[in-house]
Amino acid sequence: MSQTIQPGSKTFQRTVAALAIVAAIGAGGAVAVKQSNAVAAGSTPVAALAPPSANAGAPAAVAAPSISLPDFSVVAAKNGPAVVNIDVRGTTKTSYDGQGPGQGPGQGRADAFGDDPFMEFFRRFQGQGPRGGQREVPTHGMGSGFIISSDGIILTNAHVVRDAREVTVKLTDRREFRAKVLGSDPKTDVAVLKIDAKDLPVVPLAKADNVKVGEWVLAIGSPYGLDNTVTAGVVSAKGRSLPDDSYVPFIQTDVAVNPGNSGGPLFNTRGEVVGINSQIYSQTGGYQGLSFAIPIEVATTIANQIVSTGKVEHAKLGVTVQEVGQDIADSFKLATPEGALVANVERGGPADKAGLKAGDVVRSMNGKKVVSSIDLPAMVGLIKPGSTVKLEVWRQGKLIALDATLGNLNDKVAAVSATSDRAEQASAKLGLSLRPLDPNERRDSGIANGLVIEDAGGAAQNAGVQPGDVLLSVNGYAVTNIDQVRQVVNKSGKSVALLIQRGGDTIFIPVRLG
């Protein structure tokens, strides 16, 4: 039986007040409500407005605590003056399709945000490539940054100042300064600028990685050149990996950021910077609900190197890793599909010297758990070259401990595959037809031992194994003949992991067995 609420009644007023708060929450925080448990003068908290249960005999429900939105006005007022607008002018090479000026995509004209790196992230997902030749065109980009030292040290994104010939920093008091780029690191997308000024306002930086999924955060920046624009949202996820950005475990948020927000700070409710707004996922070039920030601990690690030495050095372990899926976990008898699966080891590199092998699964480094394959390069890349790290590795059904002394990413080392010698016939259970490498194939490919896959059918074909691939190992065991393949497969459960050499790459392919 429905209940009619008369306009002007107390029930009507309470209902309107409750709906107003729900609308504010649904609008993503567009309406600011002070941090208070009070809903409105003389009104009842939202939880108290729930209708009585139809089951009169049921226990009374426990009222949920009332929800209030954070008031970011203090954070914006205090830290806004330390957020700057960055104007970048320079030249860049652009592709064209041979058409004349003003025709088609190759007009030789940069749009207002053509140099803004947010667009680069968009282009990656669109798969846009060069068409025709290239020529240099002037660029004009806009971005944001924030002051971390009163003598004029500013953090921003590396892509904001890429190809820059002239960088101008504009403060909220309308003063403008020509900035010097002290250094930038494309691998983490962090850059440091310096302006000739003193006694500048600065932002406080968070001292630890204590950002929580679901907590409120605030962005201040210059989207589309609109200085000191404030937007708010929540942290959607942490440790997010993005294409070509394996050194950064991004903070994902639903804070509205757009071209021009690049390099601006992301604040928590205490007014501390927890990240640098860097990228968005978009099919239009504008905000669509997903934005990504570089954790401040990553940014400060890079910035300290730039300020002290003028350059950035990243450590390396010397392995290629891939994700551990459920099929791989089943094949390797792992309780959970976690860790970084070593697919390739560089000959003479740090991992090789430490004893790491293709087929190992790195589960932790220096006591910190490796959950996803992105975690390992992110951890390694932020450690000083020459440091020794402790690795916990899953190998052939048991955990082992290894110590590795990290190298320098700039060092060049030849890659190596793994494995063994001789084979023929077929493995019916896998659906593979195998034969040994002949001497010429060994010489040309550089593979000492392996089984050439002449034909793939059944489970192996469905998993993506191709004729011409070279089988190196099964479930982490190097195979030298067909009997070894059969022995490992017969001892396996519902799936096996094949280490395959394809061209110059080695990859693990999980194959589910019937």
Side-chain angles (χ1 to χ4, degrees):
M1 181 175 178
S2 61
Q3 179 183 7
T4 302
I5 301 175
Q6 297 297 328
S9 68
K10 290 185 178 180
T11 302
F12 179 84
Q13 293 171 354
R14 289 197 298 268
T15 303
V16 170
L19 291 175
I21 288 187
V22 173
I25 296 173
V31 180
V33 178
K34 290 187 179 295
Q35 291 181 314
S36 170
N37 289 332
V39 176
S43 65
T44 305
V46 176
L49 294 175
S53 171
N55 186 355
V62 178
S66 59
I67 300 174
S68 60
L69 297 179
D71 182 357
F72 281 115
S73 60
V74 174
V75 176
K78 182 178 179 180
N79 295 308
V83 180
V84 303
N85 172 268
I86 299 174
D87 184 277
V88 179
R89 296 180 186 272
T91 60
T92 188
K93 290 182 179 180
T94 186
S95 59
Y96 67 97
D97 60 4
Q99 300 183 57
Q103 301 176 20
Q107 299 177 30
R109 177 181 59 86
D111 60 54
F113 301 96
D115 197 40
D116 190 282
F118 271 97
M119 305 304 291
E120 180 63 26
F121 186 63
F122 166 58
R123 292 186 187 103
R124 292 180 193 171
F125 282 87
Q126 295 302 304
Q128 296 179 8
R131 301 173 60 189
Q134 288 189 327
R135 58 184 173 190
E136 283 196 351
V137 296
T139 59
H140 176 206
M142 298 181 186
S144 304
F146 51 99
I147 305 169
I148 61 171
S149 175
S150 61
D151 60 354
I153 300 295
I154 296 169
L155 282 187
T156 187
N157 286 147
H159 69 236
V160 168
V161 295
R162 184 182 55 215
D163 302 319
R165 291 187 177 178
E166 181 181 313
V167 179
T168 302
V169 169
K170 181 180 177 182
L171 307 184
T172 56
D173 61 10
R174 302 182 64 83
R175 285 186 295 167
E176 296 185 4
F177 297 87
R178 184 70 59 86
K180 177 182 179 181
V181 180
L182 295 183
S184 65
D185 179 40
K187 292 188 179 299
T188 55
D189 198 19
V190 174
V192 180
L193 311 181
K194 177 71 169 69
I195 61 174
D196 187 12
K198 295 181 180 180
D199 301 322
L200 296 172
V202 299
V203 296
L205 306 180
K207 292 181 172 58
D209 178 20
N210 57 1
V211 180
K212 297 178 181 178
V213 174
E215 78 169 273
W216 283 92
V217 282
L218 174 85
I220 304 179
S222 304
Y224 300 108
L226 302 171
D227 298 355
N228 263 75
T229 294
V230 176
T231 52
V234 297
V235 174
S236 307
K238 292 178 60 180
R240 188 69 80 196
S241 61
L242 299 177
D244 302 326
D245 290 293
S246 60
Y247 284 87
V248 180
F250 284 96
I251 301 169
Q252 179 183 319
T253 78
D254 69 350
V255 178
V257 293
N258 281 290
N261 270 115
S262 294
L266 184 71
F267 293 96
N268 59 22
T269 54
R270 296 179 295 278
E272 302 166 330
V273 176
V274 295
I276 303 178
N277 295 309
S278 175
Q279 299 185 11
I280 58 174
Y281 177 76
S282 175
Q283 295 180 335
T284 64
Y287 171 73
Q288 287 188 289
L290 294 175
S291 54
F292 302 92
I294 303 163
I296 194 61
E297 63 271 16
V298 173
T300 52
T301 299
I302 300 303
N304 290 337
Q305 288 193 55
I306 291 175
V307 172
S308 60
T309 67
K311 61 180 181 179
V312 177
E313 290 186 332
H314 293 284
K316 76 168 182 177
L317 184 57
V319 294
T320 301
V321 296
Q322 67 183 74
E323 201 70 5
V324 177
Q326 187 62 57
D327 289 342
I328 294 288
D330 293 340
S331 302
F332 285 15
K333 296 179 172 56
L334 285 165
T336 56
E338 296 178 333
L341 175 60
V342 177
N344 189 57
V345 180
E346 292 181 343
R347 180 185 289 113
D352 189 24
K353 294 176 181 177
L356 270 175
K357 299 178 180 180
D360 288 345
V361 179
V362 181
R363 301 283 282 183
S364 72
M365 190 180 84
N366 288 343
K368 188 173 182 180
K369 194 174 182 180
V370 176
V371 177
S372 171
S373 61
I374 180 63
D375 294 341
L376 185 62
M379 292 176 187
V380 171
L382 297 176
I383 296 177
K384 186 177 180 180
S387 302
T388 298
V389 297
K390 295 186 178 298
L391 303 174
E392 187 180 51
V393 174
W394 182 264
R395 178 184 292 172
Q396 296 179 356
K398 61 182 180 180
L399 284 173
I400 63 172
L402 297 174
D403 291 339
T405 300
L406 301 178
N408 194 309
L409 189 63
N410 295 328
D411 296 340
K412 303 296 182 184
V413 183
V416 68
S417 314
T419 192
S420 330
D421 174 24
R422 234 171 76 189
E424 52 182 71
Q425 298 192 27
S427 173
K429 200 169 185 180
L430 285 173
L432 295 178
S433 177
L434 305 169
R435 68 167 176 81
L437 286 163
D438 63 38
N440 290 334
E441 288 172 330
R442 289 194 184 96
R443 184 187 66 247
D444 295 340
S445 66
I447 302 174
N449 300 291
L451 306 178
V452 178
I453 297 173
E454 291 192 307
D455 192 20
Q461 182 184 38
N462 293 338
V465 179
Q466 302 173 6
D469 290 344
V470 179
L471 177 62
L472 302 178
S473 70
V474 181
N475 287 353
Y477 294 90
V479 290
T480 63
N481 54 59
I482 191 64
D483 289 334
Q484 290 177 334
V485 175
R486 287 193 183 117
Q487 288 173 12
V488 177
V489 171
N490 289 337
K491 292 179 181 178
S492 301
K494 54 189 177 182
S495 63
V496 295
L498 307 182
L499 180 61
I500 297 295
Q501 178 85 26
R502 180 176 295 167
D505 299 322
T506 53
I507 56 174
F508 273 98
I509 297 180
V511 178
R512 188 167 289 277
L513 302 175

